[in-house]
Amino acid sequence: MRARVEEKSLAEQQLRDANYRAELARLQIERELEVTREREAAILQSLPILLYTEAAQVTSRQPDFVSGDFAAMTGFSFDDVERDPGLWEQRLHPEDRQRVMAALEKRSQTGRLSIEYRWLGADGSYKHFLDQAVLVGETADGVPQYAGTLTDVSEQRVLESRLVHAQKMDAIGQLTGGIAHDFNNLLSAVLGGLHLLERRLELGERDRNLVDQMRHAAEQGAELIRRMMAFARKQDLSPTSVSPTSLCEAVSGLVEHTLGGTVQFDWNCPGQCRNIFADKSQLELALVNLIINARDAMPDGGQIQVAMQDYEPGSDGPDPELVAGSYVLIQVEDQGQGIPDELIGRVTEPFFTTKEAGKGTGLGLSMVAGFIQQSGGRMRIDSKSGRGTRIELILPATEELAERRSRDAVREAMPPSAGKAILLVDDDESVRTVLGEQLRELGFTVDEAADGKSAIERLKSNGSYDVLLTDFAMPGMNGMDTIRSAMRERPELRAVLITGYANEGSVADARDKVPIVRKPIRLEELLREIG
């Protein structure tokens, strides 16, 4: 009897132990499942995606289940949607509404939905949503039910838009660079020819006025090319240390007579702000363009504010377009008409303008944007229709002292270099003819060559040349190759490169040794470089 009781007690203890182990295993599994559910819920909460189920209703969408951070994606709570079934349709972008409603009607036939649209969030900004759903069965009431996902693809669309914009700008830049050389050759011939006519002919008042108008038109063409090159980020920049105070004084002197009596100007240029590292003349031109645009946006008058301050990347949010370093922030703000949301992405495109016909070229902002980007900075535009515009220029800062050069020191007198022998090399006959005649009238001996190969042969047969003056873009041997070959033959030869367009990378290695004169050629500048 005792043995049976002990055996029974042992069996009961083993059974209790087994039940206890089973219960422990069950609790462990439940804990693991709970951790998994919490992890999955956390992942869903962190992703820009919502999971939903809804009954098939075309006129009023109201999901019966939503998983994910609904409030973070839309700015509304799920209770807001339940209280207002028409909320989703009301906040569709007007341009997308008809297309989306047509897709919903088609969903009932195909059992599938996949469409992208813009939806107005609670913060007043449109988000790009990718809405996908598939028919999964019927509810207990026999109503077809769809399960789907709503994904926020706004960031992808912004990146795609930037990529497309960058590709478009690069294509236009390539086109600009391609035509700039030929166009500047034409302008060089025109301006040089006008200069020769004035020197050789006795012109009456009417004829002189006509020549002045022709020169003005040609110079305007040269300015147009410079603006296009600035937009294409291919202009020749000479960055230096620029103090904010001197910049304010220079720009103020340029625009004070153009603003009119109804426009008030407010400068905030602190003396303790860092110096700016940029091309001073181009920076002044960029600020003048922004101020003139601000004036034009306020036909009834108003106030323009220009402010400068030190800026650190990331101080007002992450900015991947700026590398780490010190910058200066320049703000130009007006109280004008503002820029509509649908146009704000296009205002930096070349030849796009919101001004009336004949009142704008559409190159002002595009030139500023190109200059800022080429200088290693960034331009930001904040504008609302009817609320004015604020444009921010972020430019690299420097601790170097600003250059102090008087205008008289910059305007150096032309050196007495007459009598030197010049070998002029250019594949454009009109440029050779006009520039050669200009130099001969100044007392130079000029020999001409149409390409680099012919120029090298001339150098080998004639050792009396003092200066090699060559174009950059020529068939066969370009200007830099011509200069290098000439230097091997005549190391003491003075070489000057003239060009209407040259890729900076192509001449960067020789920039310190070979002076560069841009077309259309200013004779004073060329004579200084000839020496």
Side-chain angles (χ1 to χ4, degrees):
M1 179 70 71
R2 187 164 46 252
R4 284 197 296 271
V5 170
E6 290 175 355
E7 183 180 356
K8 182 179 179 181
S9 176
L10 180 60
E12 289 176 351
Q13 182 63 40
Q14 291 176 344
L15 181 60
R16 283 193 297 271
D17 291 345
N19 289 336
Y20 178 71
R21 287 193 295 272
E23 182 65 16
L24 283 178
R26 185 183 66 80
L27 292 175
Q28 181 67 25
I29 292 172
E30 286 184 355
R31 280 197 296 270
E32 291 178 355
L33 288 174
E34 182 65 25
V35 170
T36 301
R37 282 194 293 267
E38 290 176 355
R39 185 186 301 115
E40 292 176 350
I43 292 173
L44 288 176
Q45 288 289 102
S46 63
L47 292 175
I49 187 171
L50 299 177
L51 306 178
Y52 69 86
T53 60
E54 67 172 340
Q57 294 178 350
V58 174
T59 57
S60 177
R61 296 191 71 183
Q62 188 172 12
D64 46 43
F65 167 78
V66 172
S67 174
D69 198 342
F70 187 85
M73 278 187 61
T74 66
F76 296 95
S77 67
F78 190 60
D79 293 337
D80 294 332
V81 179
E82 290 183 325
R83 284 193 298 267
D84 185 3
L87 179 67
W88 174 81
E89 182 180 348
Q90 294 167 8
R91 304 189 78 82
L92 284 171
H93 194 286
E95 297 178 4
D96 297 341
R97 181 175 290 111
Q98 184 177 357
R99 179 172 56 86
V100 174
M101 301 310 294
L104 286 177
E105 292 180 3
K106 188 176 180 181
R107 180 182 72 167
S108 60
Q109 303 171 5
T110 62
R112 294 179 177 276
L113 171 70
S114 180
I115 190 170
E116 185 177 324
Y117 52 84
R118 290 163 289 180
W119 199 82
L120 184 62
D123 61 355
S125 63
Y126 280 99
K127 292 190 174 183
H128 290 258
F129 287 155
L130 176 61
D131 196 345
Q132 296 176 303
V134 63
L135 184 66
V136 294
E138 296 182 350
T139 63
D141 301 332
V143 178
Q145 188 178 44
Y146 290 89
T149 60
L150 189 69
T151 309
D152 186 355
V153 294
S154 303
E155 186 174 351
Q156 293 93 310
R157 295 299 166 263
V158 170
L159 293 175
E160 288 177 4
S161 175
R162 288 180 180 176
L163 177 60
V164 170
H165 182 73
Q167 291 174 337
K168 181 169 60 175
M169 297 300 101
D170 184 64
I172 297 177
Q174 294 293 335
L175 176 63
T176 301
I179 66 173
H181 176 264
D182 293 337
F183 198 68
N184 280 325
N185 277 344
L186 297 175
L187 293 174
S188 292
V190 171
L191 289 170
L194 292 173
H195 176 76
L196 288 173
L197 289 176
E198 286 183 306
R199 291 176 60 92
R200 294 180 176 181
L201 301 178
E202 290 291 336
L203 300 176
E205 182 178 352
R206 294 180 61 184
D207 293 333
R208 185 170 295 280
N209 181 58
L210 180 61
V211 170
D212 289 341
Q213 292 298 324
M214 293 170 64
R215 181 188 296 103
H216 177 71
E219 290 173 347
Q220 288 294 102
E223 177 62 26
L224 177 63
I225 284 294
R226 281 193 290 270
R227 290 188 173 215
M228 292 176 67
M229 295 292 282
F231 154 73
R233 304 184 298 279
K234 296 182 183 297
Q235 62 181 334
D236 185 22
L237 297 180
S238 299
T240 58
S241 179
V242 182
S243 72
T245 303
S246 66
L247 179 63
C248 291
E249 293 174 353
V251 175
S252 178
L254 291 171
V255 301
E256 61 182 1
H257 300 297
T258 64
L259 294 180
T262 60
V263 176
Q264 297 179 352
F265 209 53
D266 182 19
W267 288 93
N268 182 13
C269 300
Q272 68 273 18
C273 187
R274 294 189 186 100
N275 288 341
I276 305 165
F277 187 69
D279 187 298
K280 185 175 182 180
S281 61
Q282 291 297 324
L283 180 56
E284 291 175 359
L285 180 59
L287 271 180
V288 169
N289 269 305
L290 295 182
I291 292 170
I292 297 301
N293 280 351
R295 179 205 65 184
D296 294 342
M298 301 186 297
D300 299 326
Q303 187 177 47
I304 300 175
Q305 294 181 324
V306 179
M308 300 185 190
Q309 63 184 43
D310 292 334
Y311 178 82
E312 300 296 333
S315 59
D316 52 0
D319 194 338
E321 296 187 20
L322 293 177
V323 299
S326 299
Y327 293 83
V328 174
L329 173 65
I330 305 175
Q331 292 181 330
V332 180
E333 187 170 1
D334 63 59
Q335 300 172 333
Q337 303 165 350
I339 305 171
D341 292 339
E342 63 272 14
L343 298 181
I344 200 166
R346 299 189 59 197
V347 293
T348 57
E349 294 181 6
F351 306 112
F352 177 83
T353 178
T354 57
K355 298 179 182 179
E356 299 177 9
K359 293 188 176 181
T361 63
L363 281 172
L365 281 179
S366 63
M367 183 208 71
V368 175
F371 161 67
I372 296 299
Q373 187 170 358
Q374 189 178 356
S375 301
R378 187 183 174 195
M379 183 174 81
R380 300 190 299 206
I381 302 176
D382 181 18
S383 181
K384 294 290 184 183
S385 184
R387 300 183 185 176
T389 301
R390 182 175 72 249
I391 295 182
E392 298 179 342
L393 307 180
I394 303 173
L395 285 163
T398 179
E399 299 297 335
E400 296 180 6
L401 296 177
E403 293 185 3
R404 296 183 177 273
R405 300 172 64 192
S406 66
R407 292 188 177 182
D408 293 336
V410 174
R411 296 174 182 173
E412 302 174 5
M414 291 188 298
S417 52
K420 289 186 176 181
I422 297 176
L423 176 57
L424 174 60
V425 189
D426 199 307
D427 61 319
D428 191 298
E429 184 179 0
S430 61
V431 174
R432 291 199 313 272
T433 301
V434 174
L435 183 57
E437 285 297 313
Q438 287 181 288
L439 293 172
R440 290 185 186 98
E441 284 206 348
L442 293 173
F444 294 96
T445 301
V446 181
D447 198 1
E448 300 175 10
D451 53 61
K453 184 178 179 180
S454 301
I456 300 303
E457 292 175 354
R458 296 275 185 90
L459 282 171
K460 290 179 179 179
S461 61
N462 186 350
S464 63
Y465 294 117
D466 301 303
V467 180
L468 172 63
L469 189 59
T470 177
D471 186 29
F472 174 79
M474 297 185 296
M477 183 183 294
N478 65 31
M480 288 307 305
D481 293 336
T482 302
I483 290 175
R484 293 188 186 100
S485 298
M487 290 301 182
R488 286 193 292 268
E489 295 291 331
R490 295 272 308 281
E492 76 285 358
L493 186 67
R494 173 73 172 172
V496 178
L497 188 69
I498 56 174
T499 178
Y501 166 67
N503 188 333
E504 290 302 310
S506 302
V507 297
D509 59 336
R511 175 172 293 280
D512 295 335
K513 299 178 181 178
V514 181
I516 300 174
V517 177
R518 300 283 176 175
K519 296 177 181 177
I521 296 171
R522 293 193 295 270
L523 208 53
E524 296 83 356
E525 180 184 358
L526 178 60
L527 292 176
R528 283 199 301 269
E529 299 300 345
I530 289 176

